[in-house]
Amino acid sequence: MSAAQMLYPLQAQVVEVIHESTTIFTLRLKLLDDAARTQYRFRPGQFNMLYLFGVGEVPISIVSDPEDEQLIDHTIRIVGRVTAGLAQLQPGDQLGLRGPFGTGWPLLQAEQRDLVIITGGLGCAPVVAAINFALKRREKFGHICVVQGVKHSNDLIWGDMYARWRQLPDVQVLLAADQAGQGWPFHQGRITELLDQLQADLPAAVAMVCGPEGLMLAAANQLIAQGQPPGQIFLSLERNMQCAVGHCGHCQFGADFICHHGPIFSYPDIAPRLCVEGV
Ligand SMILES: Cc1cc2nc3c(=O)[nH]c(=O)nc-3n(C[C@H](O)[C@H](O)[C@H](O)COP(=O)(O)OP(=O)(O)OC[C@H]3O[C@@H](n4cnc5c(N)ncnc54)[C@H](O)[C@@H]3O)c2cc1C
Ligand code: FES
């Protein structure tokens, strides 16, 4: 990525808006400049800074396939000013895009191993690109186990995608909701209660975990208790961000800046700092 690409937003155009639920939507974006579009490359797990002109800029994970050279997808939950403004965009509207930033998931290290992917809430967004990446290169990976937890069964997005993945050979999908509405056919309770069903060779597998810090800590501890080496567990962290290039300090996490050294960290590198107030 060039220095200019890191500091100055590229012009992007909304090609499609997909409404995933009342508060969650996917923006499919296309870079307007042909050269920038050709040069733009990302790894699953990286994020962009999306700039809504006159409102502000927010970090959002990239969920599309790294080989799609035309469209860059972002799935966004409305929580405040910028995300609510992004939700108003229509096909043809323009916005600014800086990136990609951050570290990606360790997909090279994960080759020829089972993958365990654990997500909570919208935590799914940063791992969707990794799952699609592995599914497209099926011969390079072992069994793929996807575990997704939501607070309420109504919060589950991408239900069709889970149903599709569940039909694939060597793919296990486990879903849980803390509170279940009528007709919820999956587990009611915490996702950690599902981990003893994992069909993965945990001592060799690579785990990618995403979601609220408490959930990630509980999931990592449970995997370790079941025999997974801590160094094979990777977590994606979130903090408020401004510059995304390691200068402003907004995303400081102890000795690290999440935008630059993260957002993906190996568990032993950050375990003592997880869920610690003030870090
Ligand atoms: C690396 C990274 C990747 C992300 N990927 C996605 C994604 O794929 N999809 C998505 O919907 N969101 C993602 N986020 C979170 C997203 O950036 C925030 O929701 C967004 O910045 C909120 O901006 P806002 O102006 O709408 O809300 P604001 O008005 O700034 O905030 C509304 C509320 O949300 C809280 N908040 C704001 N930012 C964060 C944050 N980063 N973490 C926790 N709480 C926050 C504020 O404290 C406040 O309570 C990601 C964040 C990071 C750091
Ligand atoms: S956002 Fe500025 S240092 Fe990370």
Side-chain angles (χ1 to χ4, degrees):
M1 184 179 17
S2 69
Q5 209 173 323
M6 289 166 73
L7 296 174
Y8 303 108
L10 298 162
Q11 291 281 112
Q13 186 170 51
V14 178
V15 173
E16 189 182 356
V17 183
I18 302 165
H19 298 281
E20 312 281 1
S21 74
T22 48
T23 54
I24 297 173
F25 60 101
T26 296
L27 286 182
R28 312 202 76 193
L29 305 178
K30 180 175 180 168
L31 294 175
L32 288 179
D33 183 76
D34 288 341
R37 198 165 60 248
T38 311
Q39 280 167 20
Y40 183 91
R41 287 284 177 278
F42 73 93
R43 281 172 288 131
Q46 289 192 294
F47 65 95
N48 285 322
M49 296 297 286
L50 298 188
Y51 175 32
L52 186 62
F53 302 129
V55 182
E57 208 185 21
V58 286
I60 302 289
S61 306
I62 309 160
V63 297
S64 41
D65 191 281
E67 277 181 5
D68 185 339
E69 291 174 14
Q70 293 299 316
L71 297 180
I72 311 168
D73 296 352
H74 303 82
T75 296
I76 304 169
R77 178 170 39 192
I78 302 170
V79 296
R81 225 163 39 94
V82 180
T83 48
L86 290 170
Q88 301 301 315
L89 293 175
Q90 301 294 327
D93 289 343
Q94 292 185 16
L95 68 160
L97 182 153
R98 283 193 298 138
F101 294 111
T103 49
W105 295 109
L107 285 161
L108 261 184
Q109 181 181 337
E111 282 188 8
Q112 308 310 330
R113 296 165 187 252
D114 292 345
L115 297 184
V116 174
I117 292 158
I118 302 175
T119 72
L122 190 67
C124 197
V127 293
V128 165
I131 296 170
N132 284 332
F133 182 92
L135 289 175
K136 254 193 152 179
R137 298 152 185 87
R138 201 62 197 86
E139 71 293 348
K140 292 193 170 174
F141 298 92
H143 206 81
I144 300 176
C145 307
V146 181
V147 188
Q148 162 84 48
V150 283
K151 276 197 183 130
H152 192 282
S153 52
N154 292 344
D155 299 335
L156 186 76
I157 60 167
W158 291 322
D160 292 348
M161 193 163 72
Y162 292 117
R164 210 171 56 244
W165 288 341
R166 185 177 280 115
Q167 303 303 319
L168 300 172
D170 293 327
V171 177
Q172 180 186 28
V173 177
L174 298 169
L175 303 177
D178 292 348
Q179 297 170 316
Q182 229 179 0
W184 174 252
F186 307 109
H187 180 69
Q188 179 172 359
R190 294 172 181 273
I191 55 173
T192 41
E193 292 159 9
L194 290 173
L195 298 186
D196 59 357
Q197 295 177 35
L198 286 173
Q199 295 162 357
D201 174 18
L202 286 183
V206 168
M208 305 178 193
V209 189
C210 205
E213 269 175 46
L215 173 142
M216 293 199 288
L217 187 60
N221 285 333
Q222 177 72 32
L223 290 174
I224 293 164
Q226 288 180 220
Q228 183 155 37
Q232 287 161 214
I233 301 172
F234 295 84
L235 315 183
S236 181
L237 294 191
E238 270 196 23
R239 285 292 185 278
N240 281 332
M241 289 186 182
Q242 281 203 356
C243 71
V245 292
H247 286 171
C248 73
H250 266 80
C251 67
Q252 185 143 11
F253 180 63
D256 293 309
F257 290 142
I258 288 180
C259 65
H260 184 62
H261 303 107
I264 291 156
F265 294 90
S266 92
Y267 179 68
D269 288 347
I270 55 167
R273 288 177 267 165
L274 280 174
C275 296
V276 176
E277 214 170 314
V279 175

